[in-house]
Structures are given as C-alpha cells and as structure tokens.
Amino acid sequence: MKSSKTVARGLPVQLVVSGEASLSLTMMLRYEPSDPYVVRAAFIVLDSDEAVEWIIGRDLLADGLKGPVGEGDIRVWPVGDGDPCDVYILLCPPAGTALLQVPAREVEAFLREAEKLVPRGAETGPVDLDASLAQLLGDG
C-alpha cells in the first residue's frame, strides 16, 4: 500500500538572466505518492506570495542529475563533470524560457526522501478497477 505522506522541500534557486545576472527564487518541491511519477515544483520570487507551478517527471529530474535529459517544455542537465554541485532546469513555456540553476545536492536529498515513499520502478501496484471507475464516474 502506498503511503499517504508527502515530501516537500524548499530550495534556493537562481533564475539565470544573463552570464552576469541572476534573480534569487525559492523552488518548493512536492512529491505525493498518490501521483508517483511526478514532482510538483512551485517557483516563488523572494518577498512575494505568487508562485508559478510546473509538473516535472520524477525520472526526468533524477536522470538530469547524471546527464542531459528532456525534450520539449522541460530539460534538465548537471553543471560540470563528475559530481555536479548544480543542475540546470530549462523551462520552455509558449511565452518564453527560464533557465534555473539549482543545488544538485538539495535535489538529490529530496529525491531520496521521495524514493523512501515510492521507490523508482515501483510506482504501479495493484489497481482497484471498481474503485477507480467509480471515482471517474463520480460515484465514489
């Protein structure tokens, strides 16, 4: 049975504006076993209550710590060789792009906590088709 616990962690992030300029943000990562394939990432500008939320594949985030991954709206890759101290996350919505520099060790620690709840590769389990169908039809 999957846990009902949630893993949440706030990380310092730099929104890279240019080679010399960046903007400090907070990235709130949240993992819920009820949606085991994804990580929700909310980006908050310091001293603001407004957040922009993205849904990132858990495997994409984990694999991006080791090498470049992703196509389309989200790409992730480590900065440097060997043991990266940072990871880049490139978000490409229709309105523009955002390049975020994130501490790799913080992401790794978050993913380790998520794996304690639902190990990678064990996301699917027995499915109660009757309950799922009832929920979809609004009977449950």
Side-chain angles (χ1 to χ4, degrees):
M1 177 174 211
K2 291 182 183 166
S3 171
S4 61
K5 291 184 179 181
T6 298
V7 176
R9 179 182 291 247
L11 291 80
V13 176
Q14 294 298 313
L15 172 63
V16 179
V17 179
S18 70
E20 298 81 35
S22 63
L23 176 65
S24 294
L25 305 174
T26 298
M27 178 171 72
M28 296 297 300
L29 294 177
R30 190 174 75 243
Y31 179 78
E32 299 172 358
S34 61
D35 198 359
Y37 292 103
V38 302
V39 170
R40 285 174 169 59
F43 300 96
I44 306 161
V45 176
L46 297 181
D47 300 324
S48 172
D49 293 333
E50 292 185 40
V52 175
E53 186 170 290
W54 279 73
I55 296 174
I56 302 173
R58 179 170 71 155
D59 287 346
L60 181 76
L61 195 55
D63 293 345
L65 292 167
K66 299 177 190 121
V69 295
E71 294 179 15
D73 291 352
I74 303 172
R75 298 178 188 177
V76 183
W77 67 95
V79 178
D81 295 325
D83 186 23
C85 60
D86 289 320
V87 63
Y88 280 138
I89 300 174
L90 180 64
L91 305 175
C92 301
T97 62
L99 178 62
L100 304 158
Q101 188 171 356
V102 184
R105 284 183 178 77
E106 295 277 344
V107 174
E108 289 171 340
F110 170 81
L111 290 171
R112 275 193 305 275
E113 290 297 312
E115 285 225 19
K116 288 178 185 176
L117 297 180
V118 181
R120 281 179 77 184
E123 292 89 355
T124 58
V127 176
D128 183 346
L129 292 177
D130 291 332
S132 297
L133 186 57
Q135 184 179 13
L136 284 171
L137 295 175
D139 296 338

